[in-house]
Amino acid sequence: MKNLLIICLMLLLSGCVDKEILDDINIEVGVGYDLAEDSKDKYRGTVLFQEFQPDKSVINRTFSGSGKLRQDLLIDVTRQSSEPVVTGGLKVAVFGPKISRQGIYDLIDSFQRDPSIGARVFVVTSEDKAEEVMKGEYGTRGNSTYIYNLIQHNIDNRDIPKTNLHIVSRDYYETGKDTFLPRIKKIADDKVEIIGVSLFDKDKEVEILPLKDLFFFKLLVDKYSKGNFDVKLEKGNFAAVKSIKSKHKIKITDNHASININIEGIIREYTGRKLTSEVVNDVEKKLEKKVERECLKLLKQFQELGIDPVGLGQIKKTQHRKFDYKKWEDEYKTLEFDVKCNVNVEETGIIE
Amino acid sequence: MKEQPIPERLQISPFLVFYMVMSIQIGIGVLGYQRIIAMDAGYDAWISILFAGGCIHVIIWLIYKICDTAGGDIVSAHKYIAGNFIGKALSAIFIGYFILFSLTVLRTFIEVIQVWMFPEISTFWFSFAFMALCVYIIFGGFRTVVGIAFFGLVLPAYLLLTFGWAIKFSNYYNLLPIWDHSIKELLTASYHMSLTFIGFESIIFFYPFIKEPKKSQKWAHLAVLTTTLIYTVLAIITFAYFSEEQLSKQIWASLTMWKIVEMPFVERFEYIGIANWNLIILPNVCISVWIASRLIKRVFNIRQKVGVFFVVAAVLSIINFLDTREKINMLNDSVGKMGFVFNFIYIPLLFAAVMIAKKLKKGKKK
């Protein structure tokens, strides 16, 4: 009798919740936001769906809508889409140039509030309108997978510091640290590329770091596991230092920040005649000088802009009890830096 | 007057106390305690968890001393100090406490389901089905309840590992500088751990069901130690993962950490995690309903099966009125406070009373 009752309940109650069958819904995999042209709306958003075809190819389908809130946008899009829209598969969010200047936090907040959106979403800014970026045809696995993988392997192997939705909002809320986002550009209808990093003051973009600074930027804010850098030597020779591992240590006393950067790498390419130990020493010295100079330049630049993507304030907080953030803001304006770099070339490849 | 001892075939082995205590302690509090304690003591709050855990060991010791002296559960202890009638009246209060306890656990869990997974799920029907399951388990007797406690702890234990994903995105220097908060702030945080820690007091209610109860004391201590360590480690991971202001916005920090989990076969791990949490909630509700019904039997001399139906009816009729975040939050807070008062004020008082009664009774015998 009891068993029967429970079986009945199982059968009856299984109908209590709406079901969502993968083939019958549109999963939002990417979204782009721009400022609306119409002044009564705030955003113009473009939602990207992937349609998987029987022959395993992917069709990118975009819908645009506008509104004051992210939900308005979803309502607009739902009106155009043949299937209900769900947000659980979001991977990439792109912000257009104007909107990132105006502030993006309400949108990031809405991503955070939505329980179905993961923390590994990549938030990026774009050089041209986000709608344009969404509307390309990149790769064979769909636009959002393309952009996602593009950023992921540049974080793993190249000069983009670790980032995702969680890290962005963590830095946003952290006292004494500012956010940065990777910046992409659509260069052809089937290509996008990374062109730098957008630096934010709170939630407003204030500066764009070009590609040439990214190596030093990553040395300051993150650690490398597989970096790459070319060193120019005398007589027009070059040496490529690969497999760079880096670590930084920052110590802040009253009005002075000393930054220690430790780099380990191996030389993979050399255009000169013979790679003697003097040359290796020279490479180390040159790289050290270069890192020290460029990092100092970046830190000065951040100071002038009044932003702190390195998180010096946060580091000071962890090193000093009773940290006063108000006081720090003034201190930061006159803070002095010194950057010490130590390069260690461990190997020079399999020939001498 | 000697009470009927529990026959040995209904009793449990001493080591099972470990699972009982742990599985009733770990419930809904663990989903979001990090924010609450970080509000008081910032990122030093993990010290408060260790401190609160330490205090609980003292309380466990007191509980065993009370039960040993009074030779039974809390009802016997009340009778021992205040006689039959007043003793029963005192015990009756705890029926309400455990009904509220099961109500809080169930409603908070349903809220989690509604917010994270299925907004349209019906509170009443879910609780109805859940309660039907609980009634079924409790009708199997105390040993079945203990069995559920065992499985409700062992099967979902793998969930602890899933917090490992967050470690990759953590900054441990967030915790520095250690000891940046006053003792008072740390103590307030310890106090706010109440909701997360309560449940261990259930020993005082099922004490007569333990075979060789003295041997079980070390298991109870071990259980509390393990929960304390789990809470501390989880808090440290959480503090390293979130920045302080960000954490203050996370209602369920533990669940939010699952957002970073990435597995090839599942996009959103929360769905698996929350569904599994059902197993953690089940012994919580079962044990508290069992205790409430057991108290009804002891106090009013009604058959326990009838008592179970009374408790379930009470829970099901109240649960519909708790429909907003504020109300649920209020319920959580008040149960936490009640738990604190019961564990850290009432039990020491009871201990003192029992000790005095023992002295007096010895005096009379002479």
Side-chain angles (χ1 to χ4, degrees):
Chain A
M1 178 58 205
K2 255 178 282 176
N3 293 339
L4 197 70
L5 180 75
I6 283 168
I7 289 168
C8 283
L9 279 174
M10 276 160 73
L11 290 176
L12 285 173
L13 290 169
S14 61
C16 273
V17 179
D18 275 354
K19 42 183 184 242
E20 288 175 345
I21 295 169
L22 270 182
D23 294 332
D24 300 337
I25 48 172
N26 264 332
I27 303 175
E28 177 183 349
V29 290
V31 65
Y33 290 103
D34 295 299
L35 272 191
E37 273 132 33
D38 195 347
S39 59
K40 85 177 184 325
D41 290 325
K42 217 170 159 193
Y43 311 114
R44 176 164 180 81
T46 309
V47 175
L48 174 74
F49 300 114
Q50 284 176 344
E51 267 177 37
F52 294 94
Q53 298 301 303
D55 62 349
K56 289 186 183 165
S57 65
V58 179
I59 294 180
N60 298 303
R61 204 172 288 280
T62 55
F63 294 103
S64 294
S66 38
K68 286 190 181 58
L69 297 170
R70 203 183 117 233
Q71 291 306 320
D72 296 345
L73 173 76
L74 283 179
I75 292 166
D76 254 19
V77 171
T78 314
R79 270 206 295 267
Q80 302 163 35
S81 134
S82 66
E83 270 107 27
V85 176
V86 295
T87 54
L90 190 70
K91 277 185 157 168
V92 177
V94 182
F95 290 97
K98 278 188 189 149
I99 195 167
S100 32
R101 292 267 163 190
Q102 238 186 36
I104 55 172
Y105 201 74
D106 2 348
L107 289 165
I108 297 213
D109 179 82
S110 89
F111 288 151
Q112 287 241 298
R113 202 171 288 280
D114 190 335
S116 65
I117 289 180
R120 284 182 195 250
V121 174
F122 281 137
V123 186
V124 298
T125 57
S126 69
E127 183 85 1
D128 19 46
K129 281 180 98 182
E131 190 171 351
E132 295 302 312
V133 176
M134 285 285 128
K135 276 190 175 153
E137 287 290 336
Y138 319 118
T140 51
R141 289 154 72 186
N143 289 352
S144 92
T145 317
Y146 185 92
I147 300 175
Y148 188 89
N149 289 348
L150 171 76
I151 293 163
Q152 183 65 57
H153 81 82
N154 273 288
I155 290 173
D156 291 343
N157 306 326
R158 287 300 153 109
D159 304 338
I160 302 286
K162 199 149 74 168
T163 177
N164 58 31
L165 179 61
H166 170 71
I167 291 176
V168 169
S169 64
R170 172 166 82 196
D171 292 351
Y172 174 79
Y173 282 121
E174 187 69 73
T175 45
K177 191 161 189 191
D178 287 310
T179 321
F180 55 84
L181 297 179
R183 191 172 179 87
I184 57 172
K185 186 184 180 186
K186 184 177 178 182
I187 47 172
D189 216 25
D190 59 348
K191 278 192 195 95
V192 279
E193 66 170 10
I194 296 175
I195 56 156
V197 158
S198 299
L199 300 173
F200 282 74
D201 182 8
K202 283 284 154 200
D203 67 333
K204 293 180 179 62
E205 184 191 60
V206 287
E207 180 70 24
I208 299 150
L209 272 193
L211 273 181
K212 68 174 177 59
D213 288 337
L214 285 192
F215 177 74
F216 309 103
F217 184 65
K218 187 161 177 177
L219 285 179
L220 284 172
V221 301
D222 197 2
K223 50 179 187 247
Y224 266 101
S225 48
K226 283 182 217 155
N228 190 11
F229 196 74
D230 295 345
V231 186
K232 195 178 166 192
L233 301 166
E234 281 128 31
K235 297 179 211 147
N237 284 341
F238 283 93
V241 184
K242 279 198 85 175
S243 304
I244 290 180
K245 277 187 229 158
S246 86
K247 260 186 196 161
H248 63 251
K249 255 202 191 125
I250 301 176
K251 216 172 154 57
I252 302 178
T253 50
D254 273 342
N255 208 12
H256 189 88
S258 62
I259 293 139
N260 258 311
I261 299 173
N262 230 321
I263 298 177
E264 288 172 5
I266 59 178
I267 293 182
R268 258 298 142 77
E269 243 183 286
Y270 176 59
T271 57
R273 284 265 164 129
K274 202 171 178 208
L275 192 57
T276 54
S277 60
E278 286 91 64
V279 181
V280 173
N281 274 339
D282 197 33
V283 170
E284 289 181 351
K285 285 271 142 48
K286 284 265 157 52
L287 187 55
E288 279 168 13
K289 280 271 148 51
K290 177 106 178 150
V291 168
E292 283 168 13
R293 202 171 55 234
E294 294 291 328
C295 286
L296 198 63
K297 214 178 82 193
L298 281 180
L299 288 166
K300 288 263 160 65
Q301 191 188 351
F302 298 152
Q303 197 177 24
E304 260 165 51
L305 289 164
I307 55 173
D308 185 5
V310 185
L312 294 172
Q314 188 201 0
I315 289 161
K316 179 152 191 189
K317 188 177 86 181
T318 63
Q319 291 173 358
H320 301 263
R321 294 214 166 86
K322 307 284 169 232
F323 173 77
D324 183 1
Y325 184 65
K326 286 265 152 55
K327 222 171 108 195
W328 162 254
E329 277 181 323
D330 292 332
E331 275 174 26
Y332 184 58
K333 284 172 195 150
T334 56
L335 192 70
E336 280 167 21
F337 309 100
D338 90 87
V339 182
K340 277 254 149 40
C341 177
N342 180 29
V343 179
N344 191 7
V345 172
E346 291 172 324
E347 298 288 336
T348 54
I350 55 171
I351 52 165
E352 254 193 12
Chain B
M1 187 190 71
K2 191 88 177 121
E3 275 157 22
Q4 197 88 41
I6 308 292
E8 202 182 318
R9 64 183 175 84
L10 296 178
Q11 285 183 321
I12 58 166
S13 302
F15 78 95
L16 286 169
V17 171
F18 177 80
Y19 298 98
M20 280 295 272
V21 172
M22 259 187 95
S23 65
I24 194 169
Q25 271 195 308
I26 300 175
I28 35 118
V30 65
L31 297 175
Y33 68 103
Q34 299 97 326
R35 165 176 95 131
I36 301 164
I37 55 173
M39 275 177 189
D40 299 310
Y43 277 10
D44 280 337
W46 57 274
I47 303 169
S48 313
I49 303 177
L50 290 177
F51 176 74
C55 293
I56 292 170
H57 283 292
V58 179
I59 303 294
I60 296 268
W61 185 81
L62 291 182
I63 289 176
Y64 271 89
K65 211 74 190 156
I66 292 169
C67 292
D68 191 35
T69 315
D73 59 2
I74 197 167
V75 185
S76 319
H78 282 148
K79 219 184 270 177
Y80 188 75
I81 56 167
N84 197 13
F85 184 72
I86 302 176
K88 278 184 173 172
L90 278 175
S91 310
I93 301 170
F94 294 103
I95 301 172
Y97 172 72
F98 278 97
I99 290 178
L100 273 183
F101 187 93
S102 54
L103 185 72
T104 314
V105 172
L106 190 58
R107 185 61 187 99
T108 313
F109 182 60
I110 293 174
E111 187 198 10
V112 168
I113 298 177
Q114 284 167 338
V115 172
W116 285 80
M117 293 157 74
F118 307 115
E120 64 274 15
I121 202 167
S122 148
T123 310
F124 179 77
W125 287 109
F126 184 87
S127 354
F128 183 77
F130 200 90
M131 279 305 184
L133 182 60
C134 287
V135 169
Y136 180 63
I137 291 165
I138 293 167
F139 277 10
F142 183 66
R143 289 170 64 104
T144 320
V145 174
V146 179
I148 289 297
F150 175 79
F151 283 116
L153 190 72
V154 172
L155 292 182
Y158 81 95
L159 286 176
L160 272 180
L161 300 176
T162 58
F163 293 107
W165 264 273
I167 291 175
K168 207 182 151 198
F169 294 89
S170 304
N171 290 325
Y172 287 92
Y173 58 78
N174 273 0
L175 295 168
L176 299 170
I178 296 168
W179 218 260
D180 199 15
H181 292 81
S182 66
I183 301 284
K184 197 183 150 212
E185 285 167 323
L186 290 176
L187 287 178
T188 334
S190 294
Y191 162 70
H192 281 136
M193 275 304 286
S194 304
L195 178 71
T196 319
F197 265 128
I198 53 170
F200 60 88
E201 70 273 21
S202 55
I203 299 172
I204 207 169
F205 299 94
F206 65 74
Y207 186 84
F209 284 86
I210 310 168
K211 224 181 274 175
E212 302 172 88
K214 278 199 175 139
K215 274 192 187 160
S216 75
Q217 189 170 357
K218 64 167 186 278
W219 292 107
H221 283 295
L222 196 64
V224 172
L225 185 69
T226 318
T227 353
T228 314
L229 290 182
I230 290 175
Y231 288 167
T232 314
V233 169
L234 188 59
I236 288 175
I237 295 176
T238 318
F239 293 165
Y241 182 71
F242 293 104
S243 57
E244 210 168 320
E245 207 190 324
Q246 189 189 14
L247 179 61
S248 71
K249 292 178 188 293
Q250 307 296 336
I251 304 175
W252 298 282
S254 308
L255 295 181
T256 309
M257 283 205 289
W258 278 342
K259 281 187 167 201
I260 204 82
V261 175
E262 191 183 41
M263 288 183 190
F265 55 92
V266 58
E267 190 82 13
R268 300 258 54 80
F269 181 75
E270 300 92 289
Y271 282 72
I272 295 179
I274 294 171
N276 263 285
W277 212 264
N278 224 333
L279 264 181
I280 297 178
I281 297 303
L282 187 61
N284 268 272
V285 179
C286 279
I287 296 173
S288 51
V289 171
W290 182 85
I291 290 173
S293 59
R294 165 90 189 153
L295 282 175
I296 292 176
K297 180 187 171 179
R298 298 273 277 135
V299 173
F300 301 112
N301 290 323
I302 305 173
R303 280 180 61 221
Q304 189 161 0
K305 286 191 177 178
V306 183
V308 172
F309 280 119
F310 173 76
V311 173
V312 169
V315 170
L316 286 182
S317 50
I318 308 172
I319 207 157
N320 279 316
F321 296 104
L322 302 160
D323 48 4
T324 59
R325 177 93 261 276
E326 286 105 76
K327 284 184 198 165
I328 296 166
N329 212 11
M330 207 185 71
L331 183 71
N332 271 294
D333 280 352
S334 40
V335 168
K337 269 179 205 149
M338 275 188 253
F340 178 79
V341 171
F342 176 42
N343 286 317
F344 293 97
I345 298 173
Y346 187 74
I347 288 184
L349 285 178
L350 186 65
F351 174 75
V354 166
M355 286 301 129
I356 292 167
K358 191 182 166 190
K359 276 255 164 69
L360 290 178
K361 281 185 186 176
K362 256 193 186 161
K364 259 184 207 164
K365 263 184 199 163
K366 274 179 191 171

